Amino acid sequence: MDIHALIAKAEQDCAPVFAALEETEIKNTRRVLDAFRAEDIAARHFAPTTGYGYDDIGRDALERVFARLFGAESAIVRPAIACGTAALSLCLFGLLLPGDELLSVTGTPYDTMETVIGLSGNAPGNLKEMGVSYAQVEMTENQTKIDVPGVLAALKPNTRVILIQRSRGYAWRASLRPEEMQEAMQAVHAVRPDIFIMVDNCYGEFICENEPTHFGADVCVGSLIKNAGGGLAPTGAYLAGTKRAIERIEARLTAPGLGREVGSCAASYQPFYQGLFMAPHTVTQALKTAILAARTFELLGMKTTPAFDAPRADIIQAIEMGDPQKLIAFVQGIQAASPIDASAVPEPWDMPGYTDQVIMAAGTFVGGASIELSADAPMREPFTVYLQGGLTYAHGKIALISALESMERKGNVS
Ligand SMILES: *Cc1c(COP(=O)(O)O)cnc(C)c1O
């Protein structure tokens, strides 16, 4: 197989799709610049703070910038929130009280949420132990839409929070664009304005020109080592939403009565600001990488979701390898082209929190950051690999070539 000719053909096919992405990048970069300008961001916002962090202007202004970008009243943006799961958990514990019900309307949530809710395992302090019940509604029309009548029928007097997961995660379902959540969010709020609608927005930021909060979500939650950190934020997570929602959540973040008034950062918020500035560009680089991979494997006759030219709602590209050896060779090829840990050879292993063995490629500057090029797959039929990230398209392209070479060496493609 002539790998370079294949990539060249795929790239040619992708050209119009790439052009549309660059339009979105310009609009989103302008939105970020407008938010920075509105908050008059300056070098003084990069000064470190210690102790309680009262009057930390860098922290407060960063939270206002996020609120503006999400069309939200308020936001929490903190390096101290360990990861996306921690932010989602914080949100749930902020909004739910004993006796309340959580309703997921996009089927089974992301794997790590199962232990938070108490669907699997028996981790002390989970929602179930606190007396919060759980129900879910599956997506409809071949897993592409929220089942609005189904959601309305599932509402109970004690339904307090509705969870919408934007990204497909490790499931073969469609990811949702913000406007595709609008009908369900409006229908719920029309009959039950008291219900909090939270969106797990992980992997979704800056794909579109707006976010779920622009369409009626009460709160959007995401990780800063994914899209919104632009590849530069070293850790942390954000929550943006209504004052009513954020007020409850910030009481759990620190303590009731303290809320967002405390929390220092002895380093600097500079990489968070710069990462946010970079995010529309970085996300575009990751999307171009995903789209090139999709087209390349489509040309090889493999099944992909989304297709290279389909509308996107997140940075994840699923490719059905159909064979465990092909899958392993692909993941190893991605690792071999990483800037960090290129000599590591990934193998399937029993990762805590996951039912099947998992194989992962991640050679990242920020530990585990999946806005950087990474690939992961549960070792189960039909051996689908999930590819995401890429700080630069050039790296994405080189890694794809490396993956194809690895597959070819093992006799997996011809
Ligand atoms: C990554 C992710 C999470 C969890 O985030 P972590 O930072 O890994 O804890 C939750 N939901 C979705 C859809 C994700 O992609």
Side-chain angles (χ1 to χ4, degrees):
M1 182 180 57
D2 184 341
I3 291 173
H4 289 269
L6 172 68
I7 299 274
K9 168 78 176 87
E11 204 166 37
Q12 205 176 13
D13 294 348
C14 292
V17 186
F18 288 177
L21 294 183
E22 282 151 18
E23 285 300 307
T24 305
E25 178 185 337
I26 289 176
K27 288 184 179 147
N28 281 333
T29 301
R30 181 161 287 138
R31 286 204 300 127
V32 173
L33 287 171
D34 287 346
F36 274 49
R37 192 161 41 222
E39 294 300 336
D40 200 15
I41 301 307
R44 66 178 180 278
H45 294 110
F46 304 156
T49 57
T50 56
Y52 295 106
Y54 292 128
D55 301 318
D56 182 332
I57 59 166
R59 179 196 69 208
D60 292 347
L62 183 64
E63 292 186 332
R64 289 196 303 272
V65 166
F66 264 79
R68 279 183 189 278
L69 275 170
F70 280 80
E73 291 169 351
S74 192
I76 299 170
V77 185
R78 300 283 166 135
I81 304 176
C83 59
T85 305
L88 289 159
S89 179
L90 174 66
C91 185
L92 290 166
F93 280 92
L95 301 179
L96 288 155
L97 293 171
D100 288 343
E101 182 154 289
L102 165 66
L103 178 66
S104 164
V105 300
T106 43
T108 308
Y110 193 76
D111 300 55
T112 57
M113 295 310 292
E114 295 193 12
T115 52
V116 175
I117 297 167
L119 287 177
S120 69
N122 213 358
N126 67 26
L127 284 172
K128 191 171 156 190
E129 185 191 55
M130 203 180 69
V132 171
S133 60
Y134 171 80
Q136 73 184 42
V137 176
E138 299 305 321
M139 287 173 70
T140 181
E141 292 185 35
N142 204 18
Q143 303 267 71
T144 61
K145 290 196 161 61
I146 299 177
D147 177 4
V148 179
V151 172
L152 293 176
L155 296 181
K156 295 182 194 153
N158 65 336
T159 304
R160 177 85 166 154
V161 172
I162 283 185
L163 171 64
I164 298 176
Q165 184 180 305
R166 175 173 182 165
S167 169
R168 72 188 67 251
Y170 276 157
W172 192 272
R173 50 156 269 212
S175 301
L176 295 168
R177 293 168 66 87
E179 67 268 21
E180 294 173 306
M181 304 171 190
Q182 187 175 27
E183 188 193 345
M185 296 195 294
Q186 281 179 347
V188 168
H189 275 156
V191 292
R192 290 285 303 280
D194 60 304
I195 288 180
F196 291 106
I197 300 176
M198 70 176 271
V199 177
D200 174 352
N201 206 33
C202 283
Y203 287 136
E205 302 86 358
F206 298 116
I207 305 290
C208 307
E209 288 156 25
N210 37 49
E211 299 296 341
T213 30
H214 291 109
F215 289 90
D218 290 277
V219 56
C220 266
V221 185
S223 165
L224 294 181
I225 64 166
K226 293 182 180 174
N227 303 19
L232 293 179
T235 185
Y238 77 87
L239 304 97
T242 58
K243 198 159 168 286
R244 185 175 78 106
I246 297 295
E247 259 173 9
R248 293 198 63 85
I249 298 164
E250 67 181 72
R252 288 285 166 271
L253 171 73
T254 59
L258 298 184
R260 288 185 297 127
E261 303 289 314
V262 293
S264 59
C265 181
S268 166
Y269 284 104
Q270 187 268 344
F272 298 90
Y273 283 103
Q274 193 175 355
L276 184 61
F277 167 73
M278 288 299 295
H281 177 69
T282 309
V283 167
T284 304
Q285 300 300 293
L287 278 175
K288 286 174 73 171
T289 300
I291 289 164
L292 181 70
R295 186 56 185 157
T296 302
F297 283 95
E298 285 162 19
L299 290 173
L300 287 171
M302 292 187 195
K303 221 167 122 184
T304 62
T305 185
F308 86 103
D309 55 354
R312 283 175 188 254
D314 64 21
I315 60 170
I316 300 186
Q317 181 63 50
I319 306 164
E320 222 178 84
M321 293 285 161
D323 172 290
Q325 293 317 314
K326 274 188 194 173
L327 169 57
I328 293 169
F330 175 89
V331 172
Q332 290 179 344
I334 296 288
Q335 183 75 37
S338 298
I340 310 300
D341 292 333
S343 60
V345 181
E347 296 286 349
W349 66 296
D350 296 300
M351 188 173 167
Y354 295 82
T355 27
D356 297 285
Q357 282 203 319
V358 175
I359 183 166
M360 292 188 167
T364 59
F365 291 94
V366 170
S370 43
I371 186 61
E372 299 186 45
L373 188 64
S374 47
D376 20 43
M379 296 301 295
R380 61 175 177 241
E381 293 275 357
F383 300 100
T384 301
V385 68
Y386 297 84
L387 179 76
Q388 67 268 316
L391 295 180
T392 71
Y393 174 66
H395 175 218
K397 187 167 155 182
I398 290 164
L400 192 57
I401 293 168
S402 167
L404 288 164
E405 285 169 350
S406 164
M407 292 170 81
E408 193 172 55
R409 270 197 305 278
K410 301 245 169 90
N412 291 142
V413 284
S414 52

